[in-house]
Amino acid sequence: MTERSVEQSAIAIVPPLNHDTIVLERTYEAKPARVFEAFASPEARMRWGVPSAHVELEYDQADFRIGGMDVSRCGPRGNLVYRVETRYRDIVPQRRIISTEIVSEGGITLCFALITVELLEAGSGTRIILTDQVGAFGGRSMIDGHRAGHAGALDNLAAELRR
């Protein structure tokens, strides 16, 4: 096999990269301190962080601080097939959370993301702007999953804030 054919073979097996920027906004009737607390607490995130009743989330490690890392597993209820590593890059209490995320299944990386959550005062409540810059391998399904997952979780956050 020539050097060129080996290179072409390697290129042929590399999955395509899809990327997108997802921006979601929500306004909640809760102060920024209360909203920030819901993001900071792994117990709270396990309650509101899943997009539907058919999905489950468990934390194996939770370290919410700059440089800290969460390791969680998620997937359909009873089948936690995805491993998620979240590394916190910047945290300003009551203002913003910036993290990177790697999602894998069976040791194979499915996507990388840079996620920014901004918390802005909005009258007596809080407006959130979540921006997810995601690069996914092998198809758009992971991007669609990120969009649906964040949207569902942010919808569920309203109920968490009323607890």
Side-chain angles (χ1 to χ4, degrees):
M1 207 178 232
T2 68
E3 186 176 319
R4 182 168 169 79
S5 63
V6 169
E7 183 178 303
Q8 287 173 333
S9 294
I11 291 172
I13 61 171
V14 173
L17 175 65
N18 293 279
H19 53 87
D20 205 343
T21 299
I22 301 162
V23 179
L24 300 170
E25 297 187 33
R26 300 287 190 281
T27 301
Y28 303 102
E29 291 299 319
K31 295 285 187 190
R34 174 69 181 106
V35 177
F36 182 80
E37 177 185 308
F39 276 88
S41 165
E43 294 82 14
R45 278 185 274 143
M46 282 177 40
R47 288 190 298 268
W48 67 265
V50 294
S52 74
H54 305 292
V55 177
E56 192 173 5
L57 169 67
E58 289 188 16
Y59 282 90
D60 296 323
Q61 174 182 327
D63 187 7
F64 185 79
R65 63 179 175 85
I66 295 173
M69 185 169 72
D70 290 351
V71 178
S72 61
R73 291 173 290 124
C74 62
R77 204 161 270 294
N79 189 21
L80 304 179
V81 295
Y82 301 109
R83 182 178 197 273
V84 182
E85 290 182 15
T86 302
R87 175 81 62 184
Y88 296 101
R89 304 300 179 167
D90 184 55
I91 298 172
V92 178
Q94 303 176 37
R95 299 287 309 278
R96 72 174 172 257
I97 303 162
I98 300 174
S99 61
T100 54
E101 182 178 275
I102 300 171
V103 178
S104 60
E105 179 181 6
I108 298 170
T109 300
L110 302 175
C111 71
F112 297 93
L114 170 64
I115 302 168
T116 302
V117 178
E118 296 176 85
L119 292 85
L120 308 166
E121 286 190 37
S124 62
T126 304
R127 181 170 149 234
I128 285 184
I129 303 171
L130 184 148
T131 304
D132 181 354
Q133 297 166 293
V134 60
F137 303 111
R140 293 202 50 89
S141 64
M142 283 304 295
I143 292 171
D144 295 340
H146 266 240
R147 183 176 283 107
H150 288 309
L154 290 178
D155 291 344
N156 293 336
L157 179 56
E160 175 67 24
L161 295 171
R162 289 190 296 268
R163 285 176 56 97

